Amino acid sequence: MMILMLVTMIVLLLLGFPMMIPLTTAAIIGFVMMFDGFGQIDTFIQQMLAGIRPTALIAVPMFIFAADVMTRGQSANRLVDLVMAFIGHVKGGLAVSTAASCTLFGAVSGSTQATVVAVGSPMRPRMLKAGYKDSFILALIINSSDIAFLIPPSIGMIIYGVISGTSIGELFIAGIGPGLLILLVFSIYCVIYATINKVPTEPRASWSERLTAIRQALWPLGFPVLIVGGIYGGVFSPTEAAAACVLYAVFLEFIVFRSLKMTDIYQIAKSTGLITAVVFILVAVGNGFSWIISFAHIPQTLLAGIGINEAGPQGVLVIIATAFFIACMFVDPIVVILVLTPIFAPAIASTGLDPVLVGVLITLIVAIGSATPPFGCDIFTAIAIFKRPYWEVIRGTPPFVFMLVMVAGAIILFPQIALFLRDLAFR
């Protein structure tokens, strides 16, 4: 049954169908085979509805809406200008600024694809003009966007928290350390790359220009303070923080900056509604898919075959990381989290692993996979936004994927990279 379900998904994906179609078709095939027809289809529908019932999922459309408002407004550009004012003049400063801008925008959007658009659109022309190779630029943008999946708010962490029952607030705080570590590693690589390739530096900004950039970015910098500070201080739950983020974004772009008009609300709401519908369909069908394979005892059979129960905590983390990484090279990250998390849940519980640590690792791995060939979703976002061929987009990715995998290995070996801030805030 499982083989037929997987073959169905792969064939439909190769034929170009959007992810929701292969996943739904495979789930229905599994249901029909298991129950000999559609007689109990209402049970499957109930499982699908159960997947989108948790109230924490309300945060997803709100963060998507807030990110769309900021992308269409001035917040993204003001954050980019702030970073450029302080480090744009150092060797590799333009590339480092791109990675840092992805980190800052990730702290207000939670979406890798929104970050590719918001940061990549203004930074790519600047880097091309400065003499960077386009393959390096594209790889830097799509891989730096991985940081947005770790720095709170993270849509991936919300989905994982809902599926696993893990505290979303703790996941948010725990993602900060690994996100900053990735930024540090990428920055070092950018400096080395610029030095080897003799990329010229940008003019140094004057202190008056820096003060202007600070003043203009003060309002957008309120987003991470609002989200992280509100959750850390016990003022907001993650869902309430999302609502506050929407209110703040609307206040900034419509009233303070006046960069958007009320007529723009329709297009923003339409875009948010379409993305949210896709996400919720994937969540619903993914929950039904997971229920089918769990009911058929497929996870237990697979995990027993690879000896995961005898692997020990670090071995389990390595197996989890490998499985999620390979899956996200072919399938949407949200689907992978929905399908694989329940499969590994018994092994996680039996080895006593901290679910927050596992959640941070999974979030990082699916982010890596989303920027990794052949079907990483961020690759196709970059193709659509920058109008560049597939091979040019992926040509520069290997060094970045290697660095990201090294960071994932460091988290497995040294869990406090992820857990230090969580323990400081919640223990």
Side-chain angles (χ1 to χ4, degrees):
M1 180 181 79
M2 189 63 186
I3 294 175
L4 180 59
M5 292 169 69
L6 289 175
V7 169
T8 300
M9 287 182 63
I10 292 171
V11 170
L12 291 177
L13 279 173
L14 292 176
L15 289 174
F17 286 93
M19 188 63 226
M20 67 180 75
I21 302 300
L23 187 64
T24 304
T25 305
I28 291 175
I29 288 174
F31 179 86
V32 171
M33 292 181 66
M34 191 164 57
F35 291 97
D36 297 323
F38 292 93
Q40 302 181 53
I41 193 66
D42 57 327
T43 305
F44 179 65
I45 295 173
Q46 288 172 1
Q47 292 297 323
M48 290 176 60
L49 293 176
I52 56 175
R53 194 169 292 138
T55 55
L57 287 175
I58 297 173
V60 173
M62 288 192 284
F63 280 130
I64 293 173
F65 184 86
D68 204 353
V69 170
M70 290 179 285
T71 303
R72 293 170 187 255
Q74 295 182 8
S75 295
N77 285 331
R78 289 178 180 234
L79 292 173
V80 171
D81 291 341
L82 173 65
V83 177
M84 281 293 299
F86 281 89
I87 59 177
H89 64 279
V90 302
K91 198 66 175 177
L94 201 56
V96 176
S97 297
T98 300
S101 298
C102 287
T103 304
L104 275 179
F105 191 75
V108 300
S109 73
S111 167
T112 59
Q113 290 165 295
T115 304
V116 169
V117 177
V119 178
S121 297
M123 292 304 292
R124 179 170 171 265
R126 295 189 193 184
M127 294 185 70
L128 284 171
K129 187 177 180 181
Y132 288 90
K133 293 180 180 178
D134 204 15
S135 57
F136 171 82
I137 299 169
L138 295 170
L140 173 65
I141 291 170
I142 64 174
N143 285 280
S144 294
S145 70
D146 292 347
I147 305 173
F149 226 49
L150 286 166
I151 297 288
S154 165
I155 293 174
M157 285 183 175
I158 294 172
I159 301 297
Y160 170 82
V162 168
I163 296 299
S164 64
T166 306
S167 167
I168 296 173
E170 292 190 24
L171 286 167
F172 277 3
I173 300 299
I176 296 175
L180 294 178
L181 177 59
I182 293 171
L183 173 60
L184 175 63
V185 173
F186 278 11
S187 298
I188 294 172
Y189 176 70
C190 289
V191 172
I192 295 172
Y193 176 91
T195 303
I196 293 174
N197 291 275
K198 297 180 173 57
V199 178
T201 58
E202 294 288 299
R204 182 190 293 269
S206 66
W207 275 106
S208 63
E209 291 173 327
R210 290 176 178 177
L211 290 174
T212 300
I214 293 173
R215 187 172 63 253
Q216 292 181 340
L218 279 177
W219 283 104
L221 287 173
F223 282 103
V225 175
L226 181 71
I227 297 167
V228 179
I231 295 173
Y232 177 83
V235 179
F236 301 131
S237 69
T239 304
E240 292 166 343
C245 192
V246 169
L247 182 63
Y248 190 66
V250 171
F251 172 72
L252 241 58
E253 301 297 349
F254 284 88
I255 297 176
V256 178
F257 300 153
R258 297 185 179 181
S259 58
L260 299 175
K261 299 178 181 178
M262 291 306 297
T263 52
D264 295 317
I265 284 286
Y266 172 76
Q267 290 298 327
I268 294 172
K270 180 181 177 181
S271 173
T272 300
L274 290 172
I275 297 172
T276 301
V278 172
V279 170
F280 274 55
I281 290 172
L282 291 175
V283 171
V285 179
N287 195 69
F289 189 97
S290 299
W291 172 73
I292 289 171
I293 62 176
S294 298
F295 193 87
H297 299 287
I298 292 173
Q300 294 86 334
T301 304
L302 290 175
L303 296 180
I306 61 177
I308 193 170
N309 293 325
E310 294 79 35
Q314 288 189 339
V316 170
L317 289 175
V318 171
I319 293 171
I320 290 174
T322 304
F324 275 81
F325 178 72
I326 294 173
C328 280
M329 291 167 63
F330 300 92
V331 182
D332 186 273
I334 291 176
V335 175
V336 174
I337 293 173
L338 290 166
V339 174
L340 293 188
T341 299
I343 290 178
F344 287 102
I348 294 169
S350 65
T351 51
L353 285 167
D354 190 322
V356 172
L357 172 64
V358 177
V360 171
L361 180 64
I362 286 175
T363 304
L364 171 57
I365 293 298
V366 299
I368 300 172
S370 67
T372 303
F375 299 122
C377 62
D378 288 342
I379 294 172
F380 294 98
T381 300
I383 291 171
I385 297 300
F386 305 126
K387 305 293 190 297
R388 303 310 302 162
Y390 177 85
W391 291 110
E392 185 173 334
V393 172
I394 68 170
R395 189 183 303 156
T397 56
F400 291 97
V401 173
F402 175 78
M403 288 182 280
L404 288 167
V405 171
M406 291 300 99
V407 171
I411 293 173
I412 293 174
L413 294 174
F414 307 104
Q416 283 304 307
I417 294 174
L419 299 180
F420 173 74
L421 289 177
R422 190 284 307 267
D423 293 343
L424 192 65
F426 292 95
R427 295 291 185 267

